[in-house]
């Protein structure tokens, strides 16, 4: 998915076609407003293929959420791309986070809207944020040890950084944004600058 829209469907495997079609239809009609037959038809496949590959509509949605979440991309970023310079690293983390969330905005809208109606969905949805909190906490702890961060509570700093970015993303989800005219890149640059300045020794 790119910018919340579907990839050219002919280039996808049958499972990816089903995942993409499910996200598009559920974002438009809601989880209970779409049938497995409609999803399969939108993917250009038959319903039997859907059940053979995923077993049920709920399992299909769970697989879509697992596929398009940010955990693996963030782990790679923390393992390979950090420069151990606070402002530079936080800017990269924040930009990457918003890039991923915007690519997956339809999936996230489904999760926000439908999560309470799906058993076990919230537990799965928490895995990504919990992993990101662990990565950020370890990063802040290491930066303190390197003398590049003031000595504070690394876990609280990780949560503060996450909530700051998640709040900005959620406020951009609606068609009528709460704070129109504020480019996300401007927010990212200013919020990271303030955050890094507050934590730099």
């Amino acid at each position: 998915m790119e910018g919340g829209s579907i990839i050219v469907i002919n280039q996808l495997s049958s499972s990816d076609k089903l995942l993409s079609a499910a996200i598009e239809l559920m974002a438009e009609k809601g989880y209970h407003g779409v049938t497995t037959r409609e999803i399969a038809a939108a993917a250009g496949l038959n319903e039997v293929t859907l059940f053979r590959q995923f077993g049920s509509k709920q399992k299909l949605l769970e697989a879509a959420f697992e596929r398009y979440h940010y955990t693996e991309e963030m782990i790679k970023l923390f393992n390979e791309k950090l420069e151990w310079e606070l402002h530079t690293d936080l800017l990269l983390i924040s930009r990457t986070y918003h890039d991923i969330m915007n690519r997956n905005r339809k999936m996230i809208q489904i999760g926000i809207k439908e999560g309470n109606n799906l058993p076990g969905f919230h537990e799965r949805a928490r895995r990504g944020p919990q992993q990101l909190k662990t990565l950020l906490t370890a990063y802040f702890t290491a930066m303190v040890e390197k003398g590049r961060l003031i000595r504070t509570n690394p876990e609280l700093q990780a949560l503060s950084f996450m909530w700051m970015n998640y709040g900005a993303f959620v406020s951009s989800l609606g068609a009528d944004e709460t704070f129109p005219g504020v480019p996300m890149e401007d927010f990212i640059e200013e919020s990271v600058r303030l955050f890094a300045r507050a934590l730099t020794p």
Side-chain angles (χ1 to χ4, degrees):
M1 289 186 299
E2 182 97 23
S5 63
I6 204 164
I7 302 172
V8 178
I9 208 158
N10 290 335
Q11 298 175 352
L12 302 174
S13 67
S14 60
S15 62
D16 281 338
K17 287 178 183 178
L18 289 165
L19 293 172
S20 296
I23 291 168
E24 290 291 314
L25 289 172
M26 289 181 196
E28 179 186 345
K29 300 181 178 182
Y31 176 80
H32 295 290
V34 64
T35 66
T36 51
R37 182 172 294 180
E38 288 176 295
I39 293 169
L45 300 165
N46 60 53
E47 197 176 16
V48 173
T49 302
L50 186 154
F51 287 118
R52 187 172 65 243
Q53 295 194 7
F54 296 101
S56 69
K57 184 167 68 171
Q58 182 173 334
K59 294 289 187 186
L60 173 60
L61 178 58
E62 290 171 359
F65 199 86
E66 292 288 338
R67 174 75 58 87
Y68 295 115
H69 219 279
Y70 56 68
T71 304
E72 287 185 20
E73 197 165 338
M74 278 297 184
I75 290 172
K76 184 174 182 179
L77 183 155
F78 277 84
N79 285 339
E80 300 176 9
K81 298 182 180 179
L82 296 181
E83 296 183 16
W84 301 102
E85 197 284 313
L86 187 62
H87 181 268
T88 301
D89 290 343
L90 292 184
L91 206 53
L92 175 63
I93 294 164
S94 187
R95 283 173 174 157
T96 303
Y97 174 86
H98 285 283
D99 285 348
I100 298 168
M101 296 292 273
N102 276 307
R103 283 203 308 265
N104 300 334
R105 63 193 298 117
K106 288 187 178 181
M107 187 70 251
I108 292 159
Q109 285 173 317
I110 295 167
I112 292 171
K113 188 187 303 182
E114 305 287 354
N116 289 332
N117 303 319
L118 301 171
F121 193 82
H122 283 306
E123 288 71 19
R124 284 184 178 82
R126 290 189 191 107
R127 291 176 191 166
Q130 287 170 345
Q131 181 66 57
L132 181 55
K133 181 176 78 91
T134 298
L135 292 167
L136 277 166
T137 300
Y139 171 73
F140 288 139
T141 300
M143 287 291 280
V144 169
E145 293 169 356
K146 292 173 183 289
R148 297 179 182 174
L149 193 80
I150 63 173
R151 194 168 292 278
T152 61
N153 184 319
E155 185 175 19
L156 286 178
Q157 294 305 330
L159 286 171
S160 297
F161 189 75
M162 289 173 63
W163 287 337
M164 176 179 74
N165 282 285
Y166 181 71
F169 169 75
V170 169
S171 74
S172 75
L173 276 179
D176 54 336
E177 296 180 15
T178 306
F179 303 106
V182 180
M184 185 61 72
E185 180 59 25
D186 289 356
F187 163 78
I188 290 171
E189 289 182 2
E190 183 67 8
S191 61
V192 166
R193 184 183 67 80
L194 292 171
F195 206 91
R197 182 175 181 182
L199 293 179
T200 299

